[in-house]
Amino acid sequence: MSNYTPAELQAVVKAPMMVGLSVALVDIGIVSTAMEAAAMSKQIAAAAEKYPANAIIQAAFSEAALKRDEAKLEKPDIKPEDVQSGAMVDHAIADIAAALTAVAGKASEAEIAEYKQFIYDCGVAVAAAAGEGLFGLGRSKISTAEAATLARFKVALGL
């Protein structure tokens, strides 16, 4: 934890959150959005356990870190026009870049690779949480819009 400033830790936490939120908002539905939020929460809650040897994830997503930083996390400033125009995805890509800058030189390449995969997996978990349509009951779990958004994130993460 001492390797990272509070601002850097904020960036590390924000990137996967914004990726998940962006994926959820490209295909909004009444029930599906709730299912996707639950999937995102599950990913974040399980991060420290899934990556016990990753110093980045432990510093930002361990139970102690989440409790410490809960009150300090900035609430995202989401504007309807950003969701409709796709600018929210651009903002999430900028958040990815900021997070990767924060960990550069402070973590091993293996830890950074795992962290990148974790960010992407957050988006995939959200996309796969519900089917297409208003109630999330559509046949396809990952909509065309979600797949396109995930593809953009994959490029931004260098995966």
Side-chain angles (χ1 to χ4, degrees):
M1 276 193 313
S2 61
N3 281 349
Y4 300 100
T5 67
E8 289 169 334
L9 282 172
Q10 177 113 13
V12 169
V13 171
K14 188 176 182 183
M17 301 287 232
M18 292 307 292
V19 164
L21 185 57
S22 295
V23 171
L25 293 178
V26 297
D27 189 16
I28 301 173
I30 296 170
V31 176
S32 63
T33 302
M35 294 166 71
E36 291 168 341
M40 184 68 204
S41 294
K42 196 175 191 179
Q43 284 290 113
I44 296 298
E49 188 176 318
K50 186 174 179 181
Y51 299 99
N54 188 301
I56 302 166
I57 292 172
Q58 293 302 312
F61 298 102
S62 68
E63 190 174 329
L66 290 173
K67 283 182 183 176
R68 176 195 69 227
D69 295 333
E70 188 175 8
K72 298 176 193 170
L73 290 176
E74 293 176 15
K75 292 185 175 47
D77 182 23
I78 301 169
K79 297 176 182 91
E81 59 270 16
D82 287 347
V83 174
Q84 293 167 346
S85 71
M88 184 150 177
V89 175
D90 295 332
H91 296 311
I93 289 171
D95 292 333
I96 289 169
L100 295 178
T101 297
V103 300
K106 294 186 178 192
S108 71
E109 289 301 315
E111 288 172 321
I112 293 171
E114 278 184 338
Y115 174 63
K116 287 178 177 182
Q117 189 63 52
F118 168 67
I119 293 171
Y120 183 73
D121 289 348
C122 286
V124 171
V126 168
E132 292 181 287
L134 187 61
F135 295 106
L137 302 174
R139 290 178 86 171
S140 177
K141 284 290 187 186
I142 299 178
S143 72
T144 304
E146 289 170 333
T149 300
L150 288 171
R152 288 187 64 196
F153 290 142
K154 196 171 212 175
V155 169
L157 289 160
L159 297 176

PDB file of all heavy atoms in Angstrom, residues 71-106:
ATOM      1  N   ALA A  71     -15.245   5.762   1.807  1.00  0.00           N
ATOM      2  CA  ALA A  71     -15.752   7.133   1.917  1.00  0.00           C
ATOM      3  C   ALA A  71     -15.010   8.100   0.994  1.00  0.00           C
ATOM      4  O   ALA A  71     -15.527   9.162   0.680  1.00  0.00           O
ATOM      5  CB  ALA A  71     -15.644   7.613   3.358  1.00  0.00           C
ATOM      6  N   LYS A  72     -13.825   7.717   0.542  1.00  0.00           N
ATOM      7  CA  LYS A  72     -13.003   8.618  -0.267  1.00  0.00           C
ATOM      8  C   LYS A  72     -13.258   8.500  -1.765  1.00  0.00           C
ATOM      9  O   LYS A  72     -12.812   9.331  -2.528  1.00  0.00           O
ATOM     10  CB  LYS A  72     -11.527   8.342  -0.012  1.00  0.00           C
ATOM     11  CG  LYS A  72     -11.095   8.577   1.420  1.00  0.00           C
ATOM     12  CD  LYS A  72      -9.650   8.176   1.582  1.00  0.00           C
ATOM     13  CE  LYS A  72      -9.275   8.097   3.039  1.00  0.00           C
ATOM     14  NZ  LYS A  72      -7.964   7.491   3.226  1.00  0.00           N
ATOM     15  N   LEU A  73     -13.935   7.440  -2.182  1.00  0.00           N
ATOM     16  CA  LEU A  73     -14.138   7.230  -3.612  1.00  0.00           C
ATOM     17  C   LEU A  73     -15.042   8.306  -4.197  1.00  0.00           C
ATOM     18  O   LEU A  73     -16.090   8.617  -3.642  1.00  0.00           O
ATOM     19  CB  LEU A  73     -14.752   5.852  -3.871  1.00  0.00           C
ATOM     20  CG  LEU A  73     -13.846   4.659  -3.628  1.00  0.00           C
ATOM     21  CD1 LEU A  73     -14.617   3.365  -3.834  1.00  0.00           C
ATOM     22  CD2 LEU A  73     -12.638   4.696  -4.538  1.00  0.00           C
ATOM     23  N   GLU A  74     -14.604   8.837  -5.312  1.00  0.00           N
ATOM     24  CA  GLU A  74     -15.407   9.842  -6.010  1.00  0.00           C
ATOM     25  C   GLU A  74     -16.576   9.154  -6.707  1.00  0.00           C
ATOM     26  O   GLU A  74     -16.405   8.105  -7.304  1.00  0.00           O
ATOM     27  CB  GLU A  74     -14.571  10.541  -7.083  1.00  0.00           C
ATOM     28  CG  GLU A  74     -13.458  11.385  -6.559  1.00  0.00           C
ATOM     29  CD  GLU A  74     -12.623  11.957  -7.705  1.00  0.00           C
ATOM     30  OE1 GLU A  74     -13.074  11.934  -8.870  1.00  0.00           O
ATOM     31  OE2 GLU A  74     -11.517  12.419  -7.418  1.00  0.00           O
ATOM     32  N   LYS A  75     -17.722   9.777  -6.633  1.00  0.00           N
ATOM     33  CA  LYS A  75     -18.860   9.258  -7.377  1.00  0.00           C
ATOM     34  C   LYS A  75     -18.708   9.716  -8.824  1.00  0.00           C
ATOM     35  O   LYS A  75     -18.362  10.859  -9.087  1.00  0.00           O
ATOM     36  CB  LYS A  75     -20.166   9.773  -6.778  1.00  0.00           C
ATOM     37  CG  LYS A  75     -20.407   9.180  -5.397  1.00  0.00           C
ATOM     38  CD  LYS A  75     -21.749   9.593  -4.854  1.00  0.00           C
ATOM     39  CE  LYS A  75     -22.078   8.941  -3.553  1.00  0.00           C
ATOM     40  NZ  LYS A  75     -21.093   8.930  -2.538  1.00  0.00           N
ATOM     41  N   PRO A  76     -18.934   8.796  -9.763  1.00  0.00           N
ATOM     42  CA  PRO A  76     -18.750   9.193 -11.159  1.00  0.00           C
ATOM     43  C   PRO A  76     -19.760  10.253 -11.578  1.00  0.00           C
ATOM     44  O   PRO A  76     -20.918  10.223 -11.167  1.00  0.00           O
ATOM     45  CB  PRO A  76     -18.961   7.898 -11.936  1.00  0.00           C
ATOM     46  CG  PRO A  76     -19.632   6.967 -11.008  1.00  0.00           C
ATOM     47  CD  PRO A  76     -19.338   7.426  -9.613  1.00  0.00           C
ATOM     48  N   ASP A  77     -19.307  11.188 -12.371  1.00  0.00           N
ATOM     49  CA  ASP A  77     -20.158  12.246 -12.898  1.00  0.00           C
ATOM     50  C   ASP A  77     -20.672  11.777 -14.263  1.00  0.00           C
ATOM     51  O   ASP A  77     -20.000  11.949 -15.275  1.00  0.00           O
ATOM     52  CB  ASP A  77     -19.357  13.544 -13.025  1.00  0.00           C
ATOM     53  CG  ASP A  77     -20.199  14.699 -13.536  1.00  0.00           C
ATOM     54  OD1 ASP A  77     -21.435  14.659 -13.383  1.00  0.00           O
ATOM     55  OD2 ASP A  77     -19.613  15.639 -14.103  1.00  0.00           O
ATOM     56  N   ILE A  78     -21.839  11.153 -14.249  1.00  0.00           N
ATOM     57  CA  ILE A  78     -22.386  10.563 -15.469  1.00  0.00           C
ATOM     58  C   ILE A  78     -23.472  11.471 -16.020  1.00  0.00           C
ATOM     59  O   ILE A  78     -24.467  11.751 -15.353  1.00  0.00           O
ATOM     60  CB  ILE A  78     -22.962   9.162 -15.194  1.00  0.00           C
ATOM     61  CG1 ILE A  78     -21.865   8.268 -14.635  1.00  0.00           C
ATOM     62  CG2 ILE A  78     -23.568   8.576 -16.458  1.00  0.00           C
ATOM     63  CD1 ILE A  78     -22.357   6.966 -14.082  1.00  0.00           C
ATOM     64  N   LYS A  79     -23.250  11.896 -17.243  1.00  0.00           N
ATOM     65  CA  LYS A  79     -24.220  12.753 -17.913  1.00  0.00           C
ATOM     66  C   LYS A  79     -24.949  11.916 -18.959  1.00  0.00           C
ATOM     67  O   LYS A  79     -24.319  11.108 -19.659  1.00  0.00           O
ATOM     68  CB  LYS A  79     -23.508  13.923 -18.584  1.00  0.00           C
ATOM     69  CG  LYS A  79     -22.794  14.829 -17.594  1.00  0.00           C
ATOM     70  CD  LYS A  79     -22.023  15.918 -18.331  1.00  0.00           C
ATOM     71  CE  LYS A  79     -21.283  16.788 -17.356  1.00  0.00           C
ATOM     72  NZ  LYS A  79     -19.941  16.333 -17.083  1.00  0.00           N
ATOM     73  N   PRO A  80     -26.260  12.112 -19.099  1.00  0.00           N
ATOM     74  CA  PRO A  80     -27.009  11.334 -20.106  1.00  0.00           C
ATOM     75  C   PRO A  80     -26.400  11.432 -21.500  1.00  0.00           C
ATOM     76  O   PRO A  80     -26.333  10.442 -22.228  1.00  0.00           O
ATOM     77  CB  PRO A  80     -28.409  11.947 -20.067  1.00  0.00           C
ATOM     78  CG  PRO A  80     -28.517  12.552 -18.712  1.00  0.00           C
ATOM     79  CD  PRO A  80     -27.127  12.989 -18.343  1.00  0.00           C
ATOM     80  N   GLU A  81     -25.926  12.610 -21.856  1.00  0.00           N
ATOM     81  CA  GLU A  81     -25.350  12.769 -23.195  1.00  0.00           C
ATOM     82  C   GLU A  81     -24.060  11.968 -23.362  1.00  0.00           C
ATOM     83  O   GLU A  81     -23.732  11.516 -24.460  1.00  0.00           O
ATOM     84  CB  GLU A  81     -25.135  14.249 -23.543  1.00  0.00           C
ATOM     85  CG  GLU A  81     -24.220  15.002 -22.602  1.00  0.00           C
ATOM     86  CD  GLU A  81     -24.922  15.670 -21.409  1.00  0.00           C
ATOM     87  OE1 GLU A  81     -26.083  15.344 -21.102  1.00  0.00           O
ATOM     88  OE2 GLU A  81     -24.282  16.516 -20.773  1.00  0.00           O
ATOM     89  N   ASP A  82     -23.310  11.754 -22.265  1.00  0.00           N
ATOM     90  CA  ASP A  82     -22.103  10.935 -22.340  1.00  0.00           C
ATOM     91  C   ASP A  82     -22.449   9.471 -22.583  1.00  0.00           C
ATOM     92  O   ASP A  82     -21.732   8.757 -23.283  1.00  0.00           O
ATOM     93  CB  ASP A  82     -21.267  11.062 -21.066  1.00  0.00           C
ATOM     94  CG  ASP A  82     -20.555  12.395 -20.959  1.00  0.00           C
ATOM     95  OD1 ASP A  82     -20.502  13.134 -21.967  1.00  0.00           O
ATOM     96  OD2 ASP A  82     -20.056  12.701 -19.860  1.00  0.00           O
ATOM     97  N   VAL A  83     -23.544   9.013 -21.984  1.00  0.00           N
ATOM     98  CA  VAL A  83     -23.992   7.637 -22.179  1.00  0.00           C
ATOM     99  C   VAL A  83     -24.470   7.467 -23.619  1.00  0.00           C
ATOM    100  O   VAL A  83     -24.075   6.534 -24.319  1.00  0.00           O
ATOM    101  CB  VAL A  83     -25.101   7.258 -21.174  1.00  0.00           C
ATOM    102  CG1 VAL A  83     -25.658   5.875 -21.480  1.00  0.00           C
ATOM    103  CG2 VAL A  83     -24.575   7.324 -19.748  1.00  0.00           C
ATOM    104  N   GLN A  84     -25.301   8.379 -24.075  1.00  0.00           N
ATOM    105  CA  GLN A  84     -25.879   8.279 -25.419  1.00  0.00           C
ATOM    106  C   GLN A  84     -24.828   8.419 -26.511  1.00  0.00           C
ATOM    107  O   GLN A  84     -24.894   7.736 -27.529  1.00  0.00           O
ATOM    108  CB  GLN A  84     -26.970   9.335 -25.606  1.00  0.00           C
ATOM    109  CG  GLN A  84     -28.175   9.087 -24.729  1.00  0.00           C
ATOM    110  CD  GLN A  84     -29.124  10.276 -24.676  1.00  0.00           C
ATOM    111  OE1 GLN A  84     -28.770  11.378 -25.080  1.00  0.00           O
ATOM    112  NE2 GLN A  84     -30.325  10.040 -24.172  1.00  0.00           N
ATOM    113  N   SER A  85     -23.856   9.278 -26.316  1.00  0.00           N
ATOM    114  CA  SER A  85     -22.851   9.529 -27.359  1.00  0.00           C
ATOM    115  C   SER A  85     -21.716   8.514 -27.358  1.00  0.00           C
ATOM    116  O   SER A  85     -20.940   8.457 -28.306  1.00  0.00           O
ATOM    117  CB  SER A  85     -22.254  10.929 -27.172  1.00  0.00           C
ATOM    118  OG  SER A  85     -21.422  10.949 -26.016  1.00  0.00           O
ATOM    119  N   GLY A  86     -21.594   7.743 -26.294  1.00  0.00           N
ATOM    120  CA  GLY A  86     -20.476   6.812 -26.176  1.00  0.00           C
ATOM    121  C   GLY A  86     -19.261   7.428 -25.512  1.00  0.00           C
ATOM    122  O   GLY A  86     -18.235   6.770 -25.351  1.00  0.00           O
ATOM    123  N   ALA A  87     -19.363   8.699 -25.129  1.00  0.00           N
ATOM    124  CA  ALA A  87     -18.227   9.365 -24.479  1.00  0.00           C
ATOM    125  C   ALA A  87     -17.867   8.695 -23.153  1.00  0.00           C
ATOM    126  O   ALA A  87     -16.712   8.760 -22.721  1.00  0.00           O
ATOM    127  CB  ALA A  87     -18.528  10.844 -24.263  1.00  0.00           C
ATOM    128  N   MET A  88     -18.826   8.031 -22.532  1.00  0.00           N
ATOM    129  CA  MET A  88     -18.550   7.360 -21.260  1.00  0.00           C
ATOM    130  C   MET A  88     -17.490   6.270 -21.452  1.00  0.00           C
ATOM    131  O   MET A  88     -16.625   6.084 -20.599  1.00  0.00           O
ATOM    132  CB  MET A  88     -19.824   6.765 -20.694  1.00  0.00           C
ATOM    133  CG  MET A  88     -19.592   6.161 -19.364  1.00  0.00           C
ATOM    134  SD  MET A  88     -21.051   6.259 -18.398  1.00  0.00           S
ATOM    135  CE  MET A  88     -20.464   5.388 -16.988  1.00  0.00           C
ATOM    136  N   VAL A  89     -17.556   5.582 -22.570  1.00  0.00           N
ATOM    137  CA  VAL A  89     -16.546   4.565 -22.873  1.00  0.00           C
ATOM    138  C   VAL A  89     -15.184   5.235 -23.043  1.00  0.00           C
ATOM    139  O   VAL A  89     -14.175   4.731 -22.550  1.00  0.00           O
ATOM    140  CB  VAL A  89     -16.950   3.743 -24.116  1.00  0.00           C
ATOM    141  CG1 VAL A  89     -15.850   2.768 -24.503  1.00  0.00           C
ATOM    142  CG2 VAL A  89     -18.262   2.999 -23.857  1.00  0.00           C
ATOM    143  N   ASP A  90     -15.162   6.381 -23.703  1.00  0.00           N
ATOM    144  CA  ASP A  90     -13.911   7.136 -23.851  1.00  0.00           C
ATOM    145  C   ASP A  90     -13.355   7.543 -22.488  1.00  0.00           C
ATOM    146  O   ASP A  90     -12.142   7.471 -22.255  1.00  0.00           O
ATOM    147  CB  ASP A  90     -14.120   8.386 -24.709  1.00  0.00           C
ATOM    148  CG  ASP A  90     -14.503   8.056 -26.143  1.00  0.00           C
ATOM    149  OD1 ASP A  90     -14.122   6.970 -26.635  1.00  0.00           O
ATOM    150  OD2 ASP A  90     -15.200   8.880 -26.769  1.00  0.00           O
ATOM    151  N   HIS A  91     -14.237   7.956 -21.582  1.00  0.00           N
ATOM    152  CA  HIS A  91     -13.809   8.323 -20.221  1.00  0.00           C
ATOM    153  C   HIS A  91     -13.227   7.106 -19.503  1.00  0.00           C
ATOM    154  O   HIS A  91     -12.219   7.214 -18.798  1.00  0.00           O
ATOM    155  CB  HIS A  91     -14.961   8.911 -19.408  1.00  0.00           C
ATOM    156  CG  HIS A  91     -15.495  10.207 -19.931  1.00  0.00           C
ATOM    157  ND1 HIS A  91     -14.704  11.282 -20.267  1.00  0.00           N
ATOM    158  CD2 HIS A  91     -16.772  10.609 -20.182  1.00  0.00           C
ATOM    159  CE1 HIS A  91     -15.449  12.277 -20.696  1.00  0.00           C
ATOM    160  NE2 HIS A  91     -16.713  11.890 -20.667  1.00  0.00           N
ATOM    161  N   ALA A  92     -13.864   5.944 -19.672  1.00  0.00           N
ATOM    162  CA  ALA A  92     -13.372   4.724 -19.031  1.00  0.00           C
ATOM    163  C   ALA A  92     -11.998   4.345 -19.589  1.00  0.00           C
ATOM    164  O   ALA A  92     -11.126   3.887 -18.846  1.00  0.00           O
ATOM    165  CB  ALA A  92     -14.362   3.582 -19.210  1.00  0.00           C
ATOM    166  N   ILE A  93     -11.803   4.552 -20.896  1.00  0.00           N
ATOM    167  CA  ILE A  93     -10.492   4.274 -21.497  1.00  0.00           C
ATOM    168  C   ILE A  93      -9.438   5.218 -20.909  1.00  0.00           C
ATOM    169  O   ILE A  93      -8.309   4.800 -20.621  1.00  0.00           O
ATOM    170  CB  ILE A  93     -10.570   4.349 -23.033  1.00  0.00           C
ATOM    171  CG1 ILE A  93     -11.375   3.138 -23.554  1.00  0.00           C
ATOM    172  CG2 ILE A  93      -9.177   4.405 -23.662  1.00  0.00           C
ATOM    173  CD1 ILE A  93     -11.726   3.184 -25.023  1.00  0.00           C
ATOM    174  N   ALA A  94      -9.805   6.458 -20.684  1.00  0.00           N
ATOM    175  CA  ALA A  94      -8.884   7.401 -20.027  1.00  0.00           C
ATOM    176  C   ALA A  94      -8.595   6.950 -18.596  1.00  0.00           C
ATOM    177  O   ALA A  94      -7.456   7.076 -18.111  1.00  0.00           O
ATOM    178  CB  ALA A  94      -9.474   8.813 -20.042  1.00  0.00           C
ATOM    179  N   ASP A  95      -9.603   6.407 -17.918  1.00  0.00           N
ATOM    180  CA  ASP A  95      -9.407   5.892 -16.559  1.00  0.00           C
ATOM    181  C   ASP A  95      -8.456   4.695 -16.565  1.00  0.00           C
ATOM    182  O   ASP A  95      -7.640   4.535 -15.645  1.00  0.00           O
ATOM    183  CB  ASP A  95     -10.744   5.508 -15.927  1.00  0.00           C
ATOM    184  CG  ASP A  95     -11.624   6.708 -15.643  1.00  0.00           C
ATOM    185  OD1 ASP A  95     -11.103   7.819 -15.432  1.00  0.00           O
ATOM    186  OD2 ASP A  95     -12.865   6.536 -15.646  1.00  0.00           O
ATOM    187  N   ILE A  96      -8.562   3.848 -17.591  1.00  0.00           N
ATOM    188  CA  ILE A  96      -7.633   2.716 -17.726  1.00  0.00           C
ATOM    189  C   ILE A  96      -6.206   3.248 -17.868  1.00  0.00           C
ATOM    190  O   ILE A  96      -5.290   2.771 -17.192  1.00  0.00           O
ATOM    191  CB  ILE A  96      -8.005   1.839 -18.944  1.00  0.00           C
ATOM    192  CG1 ILE A  96      -9.300   1.062 -18.681  1.00  0.00           C
ATOM    193  CG2 ILE A  96      -6.865   0.884 -19.300  1.00  0.00           C
ATOM    194  CD1 ILE A  96      -9.881   0.375 -19.923  1.00  0.00           C
ATOM    195  N   ALA A  97      -6.034   4.222 -18.735  1.00  0.00           N
ATOM    196  CA  ALA A  97      -4.696   4.796 -18.948  1.00  0.00           C
ATOM    197  C   ALA A  97      -4.136   5.381 -17.657  1.00  0.00           C
ATOM    198  O   ALA A  97      -2.954   5.186 -17.336  1.00  0.00           O
ATOM    199  CB  ALA A  97      -4.749   5.860 -20.043  1.00  0.00           C
ATOM    200  N   ALA A  98      -4.972   6.078 -16.901  1.00  0.00           N
ATOM    201  CA  ALA A  98      -4.527   6.663 -15.629  1.00  0.00           C
ATOM    202  C   ALA A  98      -4.125   5.582 -14.637  1.00  0.00           C
ATOM    203  O   ALA A  98      -3.106   5.713 -13.931  1.00  0.00           O
ATOM    204  CB  ALA A  98      -5.628   7.547 -15.044  1.00  0.00           C
ATOM    205  N   ALA A  99      -4.898   4.509 -14.578  1.00  0.00           N
ATOM    206  CA  ALA A  99      -4.582   3.414 -13.655  1.00  0.00           C
ATOM    207  C   ALA A  99      -3.286   2.730 -14.047  1.00  0.00           C
ATOM    208  O   ALA A  99      -2.447   2.423 -13.185  1.00  0.00           O
ATOM    209  CB  ALA A  99      -5.727   2.404 -13.633  1.00  0.00           C
ATOM    210  N   LEU A 100      -3.091   2.516 -15.337  1.00  0.00           N
ATOM    211  CA  LEU A 100      -1.859   1.856 -15.788  1.00  0.00           C
ATOM    212  C   LEU A 100      -0.640   2.742 -15.567  1.00  0.00           C
ATOM    213  O   LEU A 100       0.444   2.245 -15.247  1.00  0.00           O
ATOM    214  CB  LEU A 100      -1.992   1.414 -17.245  1.00  0.00           C
ATOM    215  CG  LEU A 100      -3.062   0.333 -17.486  1.00  0.00           C
ATOM    216  CD1 LEU A 100      -3.151  -0.010 -18.963  1.00  0.00           C
ATOM    217  CD2 LEU A 100      -2.829  -0.897 -16.628  1.00  0.00           C
ATOM    218  N   THR A 101      -0.820   4.034 -15.690  1.00  0.00           N
ATOM    219  CA  THR A 101       0.258   4.972 -15.370  1.00  0.00           C
ATOM    220  C   THR A 101       0.593   4.894 -13.880  1.00  0.00           C
ATOM    221  O   THR A 101       1.763   4.918 -13.493  1.00  0.00           O
ATOM    222  CB  THR A 101      -0.141   6.407 -15.762  1.00  0.00           C
ATOM    223  OG1 THR A 101      -0.334   6.451 -17.184  1.00  0.00           O
ATOM    224  CG2 THR A 101       0.915   7.420 -15.353  1.00  0.00           C
ATOM    225  N   ALA A 102      -0.442   4.777 -13.050  1.00  0.00           N
ATOM    226  CA  ALA A 102      -0.243   4.726 -11.595  1.00  0.00           C
ATOM    227  C   ALA A 102       0.556   3.505 -11.161  1.00  0.00           C
ATOM    228  O   ALA A 102       1.337   3.577 -10.205  1.00  0.00           O
ATOM    229  CB  ALA A 102      -1.596   4.753 -10.880  1.00  0.00           C
ATOM    230  N   VAL A 103       0.370   2.387 -11.850  1.00  0.00           N
ATOM    231  CA  VAL A 103       1.050   1.157 -11.425  1.00  0.00           C
ATOM    232  C   VAL A 103       2.388   0.937 -12.136  1.00  0.00           C
ATOM    233  O   VAL A 103       3.190   0.112 -11.689  1.00  0.00           O
ATOM    234  CB  VAL A 103       0.147  -0.093 -11.587  1.00  0.00           C
ATOM    235  CG1 VAL A 103      -1.111   0.046 -10.746  1.00  0.00           C
ATOM    236  CG2 VAL A 103      -0.195  -0.373 -13.038  1.00  0.00           C
ATOM    237  N   ALA A 104       2.623   1.674 -13.203  1.00  0.00           N
ATOM    238  CA  ALA A 104       3.869   1.516 -13.960  1.00  0.00           C
ATOM    239  C   ALA A 104       5.073   1.798 -13.066  1.00  0.00           C
ATOM    240  O   ALA A 104       5.122   2.810 -12.372  1.00  0.00           O
ATOM    241  CB  ALA A 104       3.872   2.453 -15.162  1.00  0.00           C
ATOM    242  N   GLY A 105       6.004   0.878 -13.075  1.00  0.00           N
ATOM    243  CA  GLY A 105       7.221   1.044 -12.287  1.00  0.00           C
ATOM    244  C   GLY A 105       7.055   0.718 -10.812  1.00  0.00           C
ATOM    245  O   GLY A 105       8.026   0.719 -10.072  1.00  0.00           O
ATOM    246  N   LYS A 106       5.828   0.453 -10.383  1.00  0.00           N
ATOM    247  CA  LYS A 106       5.586   0.138  -8.971  1.00  0.00           C
ATOM    248  C   LYS A 106       5.158  -1.311  -8.776  1.00  0.00           C
ATOM    249  O   LYS A 106       4.991  -1.751  -7.652  1.00  0.00           O
ATOM    250  CB  LYS A 106       4.510   1.057  -8.404  1.00  0.00           C
ATOM    251  CG  LYS A 106       4.953   2.500  -8.346  1.00  0.00           C
ATOM    252  CD  LYS A 106       3.931   3.351  -7.665  1.00  0.00           C
ATOM    253  CE  LYS A 106       4.427   4.789  -7.591  1.00  0.00           C
ATOM    254  NZ  LYS A 106       3.621   5.604  -6.722  1.00  0.00           N
TER     255      LYS A 106
END
